[in-house]
Amino acid sequence: MTIDIITVHPPLLESPFSHSILKRAVEKKLVEVNVIDLRDYGIDRHKQVDDYAFGGGAGMVMMIEPIMNCINDLKAKRRYDEIIYMTPDGETLKQKHCNHFSTLENIIVLCGHYKGIDERLREHVITKEISIGDYVLSGGELPAAVMCDAIIRLIPGVLGDETSALTDSFQDNLLSPPVYTRPADYNGWKVPDILLSGHAKNIEEWRHQQSLERTKLRRPDLL
Ligand code: SAH
């Protein structure tokens, strides 16, 4: 899978892909992440990428031309399944989006800034609009990193234990059961006996029961 991320602040996207699981995914070539500096497509000497809003009002708007030139350049190299714009008024990112995106070949992720991008881009070239929640951040870079992390960890081979992504919260609309590790007794705080029983089938049933109860209690909307 190739993920091309368009941004005016490339350094904001360096760290998320240079550590831990995402770093290994890139090294193993399970995903290629390219961070493209929109400034390279800026207009004139000043490499301008934004301008005042028609009709007035505070805040700059990202211009069509630099973004179109950048996207057209990318499209000359590969065919894209989705061109995703990160925006607070998009569809709220859910596990089902991530599952779907992780099966795609090539995607572009566009990070907005200032007041956002010229609406005509949203009408004509953006194929999907995604929000990471009902709050406003100053730019699309952190939302893009959040979404890409959630996608990349689902690509086969990225997580060490292939099944582990399937037992995470939200797959099957259930929250994860509680987990424990050594010591089995920390100053009287004990691990549930069943987990020490060695009885795989009972443990599996217990975990499923815990998942159900936790979901009923915390997120009944999922059931
Ligand atoms: N004026 C816009 C907010 C712009 S915030 C509005 O009120 O809807 C600047 C940029 O940050 C956006 O273009 C978007 O790319 C990004 N952004 C901010 N909050 C976001 C969120 N919750 N989800 C996804 N992207 C977000």
Side-chain angles (χ1 to χ4, degrees):
M1 177 182 203
T2 307
I3 304 178
D4 290 331
I5 310 178
I6 304 174
T7 168
V8 280
H9 293 299
L12 279 177
L13 286 158
E14 269 163 27
S15 174
F17 301 102
S18 326
H19 302 279
S20 183
I21 291 169
L22 302 193
K23 177 185 181 192
R24 261 179 285 138
V26 170
E27 282 173 354
K28 285 204 253 169
K29 300 206 182 326
L30 297 169
V31 64
E32 180 183 329
V33 180
N34 303 309
V35 177
I36 295 119
D37 191 346
L38 186 63
R39 214 38 89 178
D40 292 342
Y41 294 87
I43 292 170
D44 301 333
R45 284 185 298 120
H46 299 296
K47 296 284 170 200
Q48 187 183 351
V49 295
D50 60 307
D51 210 337
Y52 295 101
F54 279 128
M60 305 295 274
V61 176
M62 292 176 76
M63 302 162 83
I64 297 182
E65 281 156 295
I67 293 174
M68 275 317 285
N69 291 343
C70 179
I71 289 177
N72 286 337
D73 235 18
L74 292 172
K75 276 183 168 172
K77 281 182 251 163
R78 45 179 84 88
R79 202 191 61 77
Y80 289 93
D81 302 297
E82 297 280 12
I83 302 179
I84 305 168
Y85 173 47
M86 305 311 298
T87 177
D89 59 3
E91 287 173 43
T92 307
L93 185 66
K94 293 275 169 26
Q95 191 64 42
K96 70 170 175 24
H97 293 111
C98 302
N99 292 348
H100 170 62
F101 293 152
S102 76
T103 66
L104 302 179
E105 204 61 49
N106 303 309
I107 61 173
I108 290 176
V109 180
L110 175 61
C111 306
H113 249 276
Y114 323 113
K115 290 304 273 181
I117 62 174
D118 190 302
E119 186 68 20
R120 289 166 289 179
L121 287 162
R122 302 176 66 166
E123 283 164 19
H124 299 289
V125 285
I126 300 298
T127 61
K128 201 105 199 146
E129 301 189 324
I130 296 288
S131 161
I132 62 159
D134 290 349
Y135 40 83
V136 176
L137 296 149
S138 48
E141 287 75 17
L142 298 181
V146 165
M147 182 180 75
C148 290
D149 183 317
I151 295 172
I152 292 170
R153 67 195 293 285
L154 296 173
I155 297 173
V158 169
L159 293 184
D161 177 354
E162 284 289 33
T163 59
S164 89
L166 297 176
T167 60
D168 283 330
S169 292
F170 307 114
Q171 300 290 5
D172 299 332
N173 285 332
L174 288 178
L175 300 180
S176 262
V179 291
Y180 303 85
T181 186
R182 289 186 297 168
D185 184 339
Y186 175 79
N187 297 340
W189 298 353
K190 293 201 175 118
V191 165
D193 285 339
I194 180 130
L195 295 177
L196 309 175
S197 70
H199 198 303
K201 195 163 173 299
N202 289 356
I203 292 174
E204 199 186 315
E205 270 169 27
W206 179 85
R207 285 190 169 142
H208 184 65
Q209 205 49 43
Q210 291 287 317
S211 269
L212 275 174
E213 277 170 30
R214 188 160 275 211
T215 311
K216 258 189 239 159
L217 198 67
R218 301 185 180 196
R219 292 293 305 275
D221 58 298
L222 294 176
L223 293 170

